[in-house]
Amino acid sequence: MPLPFLTADRAFDTTDAVALPFDDHDQWRRPYRPGPYRVGAAALALLLASFVLLAAVIIAAAGAAGGALATFGVAVLIILASLRLLRMGTWVSRAGVRRVGFFATSTTPWQKVAVVRTAQQPVRWLNFPRTVQGQALLLDRTVGEQVVLLTDHNADFLSRTEAFDRAADTVEAWHAEYGVRR
């Protein structure tokens, strides 16, 4: 049963290559949906934040204002961390490609990108130190530096190989359209 109010990202589901009227290539956009592991971790963090907020209300009702403020501050930090967790990933626009991490964000203009390619290599499993054999979308900068944009074993694409292939193809298409022609 299709739900029309849930089809905001139908641009990825269409077979024709016509851009929709609301597609603005100057805005930063993620070329894929966040994965279930990332969304699940953020949902659990928000659930924990709700319990911490409830604890802050109980502490405030008991009359300990300092403890209530400290507990409220912890809840705000948990909420901000979960929002940042949802924001993490690779974003593209006409200006370049942006890699958003938990603590840092780096942007590379398309003019400084030499190649965007998919390679078979050892990748980190859910960003833990353990590595497994998998696919990675690599960005080679013109200065010789290499950046891993996406892997098929991160929180967005674990057990979703078709989504990884679509996202990698989309980022490569953005590079083909806006990158420097050599």
Short mmCIF file of all heavy atoms in Angstrom, two decimals, residues 2 4 20 23 42 50 58 102 115 118 123 136 155:
data_model
loop_
_atom_site.label_atom_id
_atom_site.label_comp_id
_atom_site.label_asym_id
_atom_site.label_seq_id
_atom_site.Cartn_x
_atom_site.Cartn_y
_atom_site.Cartn_z
N PRO A 2 0.91 1.98 -1.06
CA PRO A 2 1.75 3.19 -1.09
C PRO A 2 1.16 4.29 -0.20
O PRO A 2 -0.05 4.52 -0.19
CB PRO A 2 1.75 3.60 -2.56
CG PRO A 2 0.52 2.99 -3.13
CD PRO A 2 0.23 1.75 -2.33
N PRO A 4 1.40 8.19 0.21
CA PRO A 4 1.92 9.33 -0.54
C PRO A 4 2.72 10.30 0.33
O PRO A 4 3.60 10.97 -0.17
CB PRO A 4 0.67 10.00 -1.10
CG PRO A 4 -0.46 9.51 -0.27
CD PRO A 4 -0.06 8.15 0.23
N LEU A 20 13.67 16.10 -10.76
CA LEU A 20 12.41 16.63 -10.25
C LEU A 20 12.54 18.13 -10.03
O LEU A 20 13.64 18.66 -9.85
CB LEU A 20 12.05 15.91 -8.95
CG LEU A 20 11.76 14.42 -9.12
CD1 LEU A 20 11.56 13.78 -7.78
CD2 LEU A 20 10.55 14.21 -10.00
N ASP A 23 14.73 19.44 -7.12
CA ASP A 23 16.14 19.07 -7.04
C ASP A 23 17.01 20.31 -7.21
O ASP A 23 17.09 20.88 -8.29
CB ASP A 23 16.50 18.04 -8.12
CG ASP A 23 16.08 16.65 -7.73
OD1 ASP A 23 15.78 16.45 -6.54
OD2 ASP A 23 16.05 15.78 -8.60
N ALA A 42 20.54 5.67 16.90
CA ALA A 42 20.05 7.00 17.26
C ALA A 42 18.72 6.91 18.02
O ALA A 42 18.49 7.66 18.97
CB ALA A 42 19.89 7.86 16.01
N SER A 50 15.23 10.24 26.80
CA SER A 50 13.91 10.47 27.41
C SER A 50 13.89 10.00 28.85
O SER A 50 13.29 10.66 29.71
CB SER A 50 12.82 9.77 26.60
OG SER A 50 12.93 8.36 26.72
N ILE A 58 12.19 14.33 37.89
CA ILE A 58 12.02 13.76 39.24
C ILE A 58 12.99 14.41 40.21
O ILE A 58 12.62 14.75 41.34
CB ILE A 58 12.19 12.23 39.19
CG1 ILE A 58 11.03 11.61 38.43
CG2 ILE A 58 12.29 11.65 40.60
CD1 ILE A 58 11.20 10.14 38.14
N PHE A 102 31.71 12.04 13.17
CA PHE A 102 31.09 12.38 14.44
C PHE A 102 31.72 13.65 15.03
O PHE A 102 31.03 14.50 15.56
CB PHE A 102 31.21 11.22 15.43
CG PHE A 102 30.35 11.39 16.64
CD1 PHE A 102 28.99 11.16 16.58
CD2 PHE A 102 30.88 11.81 17.85
CE1 PHE A 102 28.18 11.33 17.68
CE2 PHE A 102 30.09 11.98 18.96
CZ PHE A 102 28.73 11.73 18.88
N VAL A 115 39.82 11.29 -8.83
CA VAL A 115 39.05 10.12 -9.20
C VAL A 115 38.14 9.72 -8.04
O VAL A 115 38.53 9.82 -6.88
CB VAL A 115 39.98 8.93 -9.53
CG1 VAL A 115 39.19 7.67 -9.85
CG2 VAL A 115 40.91 9.25 -10.67
N THR A 118 35.26 2.73 -6.94
CA THR A 118 34.94 1.65 -6.01
C THR A 118 36.06 0.63 -6.06
O THR A 118 36.53 0.29 -7.15
CB THR A 118 33.61 0.99 -6.39
OG1 THR A 118 32.60 2.00 -6.46
CG2 THR A 118 33.19 -0.03 -5.36
N VAL A 123 37.90 -3.38 4.83
CA VAL A 123 37.17 -2.23 5.36
C VAL A 123 36.82 -2.50 6.81
O VAL A 123 36.75 -3.65 7.25
CB VAL A 123 35.89 -1.93 4.54
CG1 VAL A 123 36.24 -1.53 3.13
CG2 VAL A 123 34.95 -3.11 4.54
N ALA A 136 34.74 -0.41 -0.96
CA ALA A 136 34.83 0.95 -0.46
C ALA A 136 34.77 1.91 -1.64
O ALA A 136 35.29 1.62 -2.72
CB ALA A 136 36.12 1.16 0.31
N ALA A 155 27.55 1.55 9.06
CA ALA A 155 26.21 1.51 9.65
C ALA A 155 25.10 1.81 8.64
O ALA A 155 23.95 1.50 8.90
CB ALA A 155 26.12 2.50 10.81
#
